[in-house]
Amino acid sequence: MKRISVAQPRLGGNEKKYVLDCLDTNWISSNGKYIGAFEESFAEFCGVKHAIATNNGTTALHLALVALGLQPGDEVIVPTVTYIATANAVRYCGATPVLVDVCADTMNIDPAAIEAKITPRTRGIIPVHLYGHPAQMDVINEIAQRHGLWVVEDAAEAHGAEVQGRRVGGLGTCATFSFFGNKIVTTGEGGMVTTNDAELARTLRLYRGQGMDLQRRYWFPVVGYNYRMTNIQAAIGLAQMEGIDTALAERERLAGWYADALSALGDRIVLPVRRDGAKEVYWMYNIFLRDATEEQRDAVMRRMDEMGIETRPVFYPMHVMPPYRESATYPVADLWSPRGINLPTHQDLTREDVQRVAESLAAAMA
């Protein structure tokens, strides 16, 4: 039987046509018409005024923090369950990521735990829209405003997710996205920062291009970074945006298939939930083994792999990672992260594939 991958891109639109146009016209580096077109398309999609393309999602995060003036000695509130780039970008600035526990239903940052971690050194909050479910931005923004903090949405995994009908990307001071090969929109590698703040957008563009003055070529008023996206990457991204509505609809359908196929396992597993007012986009379809240990979870994943089904573990909490290890406990993260599995989630899966994944999971658990 064919192997089912946990993720793979859908490249069935104008990607090849636009890339060949780059090659035919020799515009293959960080200049060219597709960069601006991709930025404009993505800004419109997110409902914001400005989008600044970067060469990957991690540099988008770092660029945002630099543009916001994060300095050594500063602190930033970060959920303990996230991809490590969220915390790393804070460290790149010499600042300290201050970890916060997560909500049991979505594994997003727990707003009720944020204020206890705010100190005079806190400069901002980075809520992560984990696996495509948006964080509770209304509560987080209220806390940030009360304490004079900025908010950077880490929306790397949540292209198109919504809160009260508004798409992520425009719900904080700024937002960052990833376009890695397994994301809903991909450019192979790539990222984006979105914002409604014109001055912040100007600063982001300044630092993205080695710090060269935007009005005076080869004059460098600041130390910047080479975080530019190539025209070829942007060409792929623009083609991907032409199919974004279909991509989101197909992931919604896929989630329905999974809910049906996994219902036979009853309360032995926990399926994804959707909070009121939120629209999840299912970057990854996650399930949790209700009563399993980490060793049992890993054994289930190994058995599924033997049956030709690729899976991934839910992210390990930051506080157990060597660079960020703490003796403190985070009850929700400690309980649920070791039980979580990312099931195959991509547009090329059929309903029969989903049924096979579900049967594989049931057999492995048995």
Side-chain angles (χ1 to χ4, degrees), residues 27-351:
W27 290 99
I28 62 172
S29 193
S30 56
N31 289 307
K33 66 182 181 182
Y34 288 106
I35 297 169
F38 181 36
E39 289 177 333
E40 290 175 10
S41 176
F42 200 77
E44 181 179 2
F45 174 73
C46 293
V48 297
K49 297 177 181 177
H50 308 280
I52 297 87
T54 66
N55 53 359
N56 63 61
T58 305
T59 57
L61 269 170
H62 183 220
L63 186 67
L65 298 179
V66 169
L68 289 166
L70 192 64
Q71 298 291 321
D74 292 343
E75 295 177 351
V76 180
I77 303 293
V78 177
T80 189
V81 180
T82 180
Y83 183 56
I84 199 166
T86 313
N88 284 351
V90 176
R91 280 275 182 92
Y92 296 161
C93 296
T96 300
V98 176
L99 304 179
V100 171
D101 207 355
V102 294
C103 300
D105 55 354
T106 64
M107 299 295 282
N108 282 331
I109 191 168
D110 184 356
I114 290 176
E115 288 200 84
K117 295 294 187 84
I118 294 175
T119 76
R121 294 184 295 278
T122 307
R123 297 293 173 263
I125 306 169
I126 306 180
V128 179
H129 305 310
L130 196 71
Y131 296 123
H133 194 294
Q136 295 171 262
M137 292 302 298
D138 52 348
V139 183
I140 294 167
N141 282 328
E142 190 276 328
I143 294 170
Q145 290 167 9
R146 193 150 27 87
H147 292 273
L149 308 176
W150 42 253
V151 176
V152 175
E153 300 174 75
D154 184 340
E157 306 163 4
H159 313 159
E162 298 178 10
V163 178
Q164 303 295 343
R166 296 177 58 204
R167 282 194 173 134
V168 302
L171 305 181
T173 311
C174 64
T176 64
F177 292 83
S178 167
F179 303 126
F180 184 63
N182 61 13
K183 297 300 191 293
I184 298 172
V185 171
T186 184
T187 60
E189 282 277 9
M192 192 81 76
V193 187
T194 58
T195 184
N196 282 309
D197 186 327
E199 182 57 28
L200 179 59
R202 189 200 68 81
T203 304
L204 288 161
R205 293 187 186 280
L206 172 68
Y207 279 98
R208 176 185 63 174
Q210 293 285 21
M212 186 169 70
D213 193 299
L214 300 176
Q215 304 301 321
R216 186 179 179 185
R217 293 186 70 194
Y218 299 107
W219 181 261
F220 299 88
V222 298
V223 175
Y225 305 87
N226 183 5
Y227 286 171
R228 297 168 295 189
M229 176 178 280
T230 69
N231 200 42
I232 291 177
Q233 287 175 299
I236 296 171
L238 182 63
Q240 290 273 291
M241 292 304 297
E242 294 170 354
I244 183 63
D245 292 337
T246 298
L248 294 175
E250 289 182 347
R251 284 175 182 269
E252 183 79 24
R253 182 179 63 186
L254 181 66
W257 290 346
Y258 266 126
D260 290 343
L262 295 170
S263 61
L265 288 171
D267 62 1
R268 296 175 64 196
I269 62 173
V270 180
L271 300 181
V273 302
R274 175 175 286 176
R275 281 182 177 265
D276 290 343
K279 181 180 179 182
E280 184 178 6
V281 291
Y282 299 103
W283 172 59
M284 284 288 168
Y285 191 90
N286 299 317
I287 59 99
F288 295 87
L289 309 184
R290 188 179 295 277
D291 298 315
T293 64
E294 182 175 346
E295 291 76 17
Q296 290 170 328
R297 187 274 311 270
D298 292 348
V300 167
M301 293 173 63
R302 285 194 299 272
R303 179 67 181 126
M304 293 181 71
D305 185 67
E306 292 168 1
M307 290 185 276
I309 310 295
E310 183 185 12
T311 60
R312 299 182 355 168
V314 161
F315 296 132
Y316 295 98
M318 293 296 101
H319 67 271
V320 305
M321 299 283 192
Y324 302 105
R325 182 171 290 138
E326 297 181 9
S327 57
T329 59
Y330 294 79
V332 176
D334 290 334
L335 180 64
W336 288 108
S337 289
R339 303 178 182 188
I341 301 175
N342 298 160
L343 299 180
T345 315
H346 57 82
Q347 289 174 252
D348 291 330
L349 292 171
T350 65
R351 187 157 199 165

